[in-house]
């Protein structure tokens, strides 16, 4: 006995390819939306910024759900996202801090990963906005990044970013001198509590700069870049690509990769607790690191 399926009705046969097409389009849309979302909102990992805290009234730990006993210093609170936990629980809480703009009130002097997670961006908005403004009207400006803008106006840009965030106006209508914008960008990097090239990665970058063979130096720098937190690495990549474009106009702006290395070396990296002589000796290697990153940004990132 053989069983056969009933023949498909003409209507069913007609609708089947349309259904398949609609399903494939929907799947494609979902995939594209997911990719777009992941592109715009990267999932950077961030540790919690716990501080000992005295809670008023009864409080329960948000990790273990047990009561937080005591009258003072009953637990710790994350200064960036507001998570309340026991001190002992803070050691096992996952690195899933999602900073809240109610707690993150500044742009300058704020930890870079904290800032991008709070604003749900790929890079700090001050970096993107300043670079876009500089590329729109300043690439041919002589001494770009070397010439300092008027310090009071640079400070004014800083205060405007801290106050207005991405709504700040840094156009030529407000700041005609492009050196004010370059000064504001350099100031942002100088005031980072953890430098763009972090304290932990600093020794590895210094060792890379001391490698004399160009190919081996690139290999060493490539390994050193892996030590940077993702948000730091992405911001460094974006900055180096921009500085490479600055060198494309070096006949006008007189800024070679070596000159930019001199400017940005001490701005992007600094060693913790070095004596004066060692710090002075490191300057030439800092310059070499930035110069090499600019020249080879298309290979290294």
């Amino acid at each position: 006995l053989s069983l056969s399926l009933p023949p498909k009705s003409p209507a069913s046969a007609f609708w089947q390819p349309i259904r398949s097409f609609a399903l494939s389009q929907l799947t494609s849309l979902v995939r594209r939306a997911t990719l777009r979302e992941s592109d715009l909102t990267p999932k950077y990992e961030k540790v919690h910024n716990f501080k000992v805290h005295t809670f008023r009234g009864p409080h329960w730990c948000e990790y273990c759900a047990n009561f937080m006993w005591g009258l003072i210093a009953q637990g710790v609170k994350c200064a960036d996202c507001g998570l309340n936990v026991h001190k002992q629980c803070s050691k096992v809480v996952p690195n899933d801090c999602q900073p809240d703009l109610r707690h993150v009130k500044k742009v300058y002097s704020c930890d870079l990963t904290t800032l991008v997670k709070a604003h749900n961006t790929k890079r700090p908005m001050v970096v993107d906005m300043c670079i876009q403004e500089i590329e729109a009207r300043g690439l041919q400006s002589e001494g770009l990044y070397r010439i300092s803008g008027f310090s009071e106006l640079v400070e004014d840009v800083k205060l405007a970013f801290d106050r207005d965030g991405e709504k700040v106006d840094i156009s030529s209508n407000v700041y005609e001198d492009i050196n004010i914008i370059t000064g504001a960008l350099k100031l942002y990097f100088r005031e980072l509590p953890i430098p763009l090239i972090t304290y932990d990665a600093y020794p590895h970058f210094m060792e890379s700069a001391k490698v004399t063979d160009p190919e081996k130096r690139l290999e060493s720098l490539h390994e050193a870049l892996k030590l940077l937190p993702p948000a730091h690495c992405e911001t460094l990549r974006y900055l180096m690509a921009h500085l490479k474009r600055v060198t494309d106009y070096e006949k006008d702006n007189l800024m070679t990769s070596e000159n930019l290395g001199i400017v940005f070396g001490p701005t992007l990296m600094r060693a913790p607790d070095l004596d004066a002589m060692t710090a002075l000796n490191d300057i030439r290697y800092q310059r070499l690191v930035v110069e090499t990153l600019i020249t080879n940004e298309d290979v290294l990132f």
Side-chain angles (χ1 to χ4, degrees):
L1 182 69
S2 64
L3 291 172
S4 59
L5 293 169
K8 288 182 180 179
S9 68
S12 174
F14 173 79
W15 284 109
Q16 187 58 41
I18 296 174
R19 276 199 207 95
S20 300
F21 175 74
L23 187 62
S24 71
Q25 288 296 98
L26 184 61
T27 307
S28 176
L29 281 170
V30 169
R31 191 184 299 115
R32 279 207 299 274
T34 306
L35 286 171
R36 196 175 297 120
E37 183 190 6
S38 65
D39 183 55
L40 292 173
T41 57
K43 302 294 183 280
Y44 294 140
E45 189 178 87
K46 182 192 174 315
V47 296
H48 289 274
N49 181 16
F50 286 121
K51 311 277 186 192
V52 175
H53 192 78
T54 296
F55 298 95
R56 292 181 179 178
H59 264 77
W60 283 262
C61 174
E62 293 177 45
Y63 180 74
C64 71
N66 288 320
F67 190 71
M68 299 168 83
W69 295 95
L71 296 174
I72 59 167
Q74 304 99 319
V76 292
K77 184 185 185 82
C78 178
D80 296 332
C81 71
L83 183 73
N84 305 318
V85 296
H86 289 114
K87 190 174 181 182
Q88 61 269 32
C89 290
S90 70
K91 296 169 186 172
V92 291
V93 169
N95 296 338
D96 59 356
C97 177
Q98 183 56 55
D100 191 317
L101 286 173
R102 288 175 299 174
H103 301 286
V104 181
K105 293 185 165 67
K106 290 196 301 184
V107 171
Y108 279 68
S109 305
C110 176
D111 172 69
L112 191 147
T113 303
T114 301
L115 186 71
V116 296
K117 280 184 76 73
H119 289 270
N120 216 16
T121 56
K122 211 171 184 181
R123 296 172 296 271
M125 97 279 283
V126 61
V127 174
D128 280 16
M129 290 177 68
C130 285
I131 285 177
Q132 286 161 16
E133 191 65 29
I134 292 158
E135 295 201 354
R137 60 183 173 103
L139 287 175
Q140 293 173 297
S141 178
E142 188 176 322
L144 189 70
Y145 286 113
R146 181 177 56 78
I147 296 171
S148 300
F150 190 47
S151 59
E152 283 188 16
L153 289 175
V154 171
E155 190 68 21
D156 189 55
V157 174
K158 170 190 167 178
L159 294 173
F161 268 112
D162 281 342
R163 184 183 64 244
D164 303 326
E166 60 194 18
K167 294 175 184 172
V168 68
D169 184 1
I170 55 170
S171 68
S172 56
N173 298 330
V174 184
Y175 303 104
E176 191 177 348
D177 182 6
I178 197 65
N179 297 314
I180 294 164
I181 309 304
T182 59
L185 181 61
K186 288 187 293 182
L187 182 64
Y188 170 75
F189 287 121
R190 280 200 303 273
E191 292 198 352
L192 282 174
I194 298 171
L196 189 61
I197 292 175
T198 60
Y199 293 127
D200 289 343
Y202 182 87
H204 301 273
F205 278 89
M206 287 293 98
E207 288 306 311
S208 300
K210 292 170 187 175
V211 176
T212 51
D213 181 85
E215 287 298 316
K216 288 181 179 174
R217 184 190 297 156
L218 283 183
E219 287 173 18
S220 183
L221 273 175
H222 191 259
E223 290 304 308
L225 285 166
K226 293 176 183 175
L227 302 172
L228 295 177
H232 284 244
C233 194
E234 166 56 26
T235 304
L236 184 63
R237 180 202 64 78
Y238 188 74
L239 177 65
M240 292 302 113
H242 161 64
L243 295 180
K244 182 75 174 285
R245 290 190 288 273
V246 171
T247 64
D248 291 342
Y249 294 84
E250 67 179 57
K251 286 184 180 176
D252 300 305
N253 59 38
L254 309 179
M255 294 304 288
T256 62
S257 56
E258 184 181 354
N259 291 340
L260 290 166
I262 292 167
V263 172
F264 276 96
T267 303
L268 302 182
M269 54 201 305
R270 55 188 184 272
D273 309 321
L274 275 189
D275 61 86
M277 281 306 295
T278 311
L280 201 61
N281 188 50
D282 275 5
I283 288 175
R284 63 188 175 124
Y285 295 116
Q286 291 171 353
R287 172 193 64 75
L288 195 55
V289 165
V290 175
E291 184 183 343
T292 309
L293 288 173
I294 295 169
T295 310
N296 301 281
E297 60 85 21
D298 55 334
V299 177
L300 288 168
F301 293 98

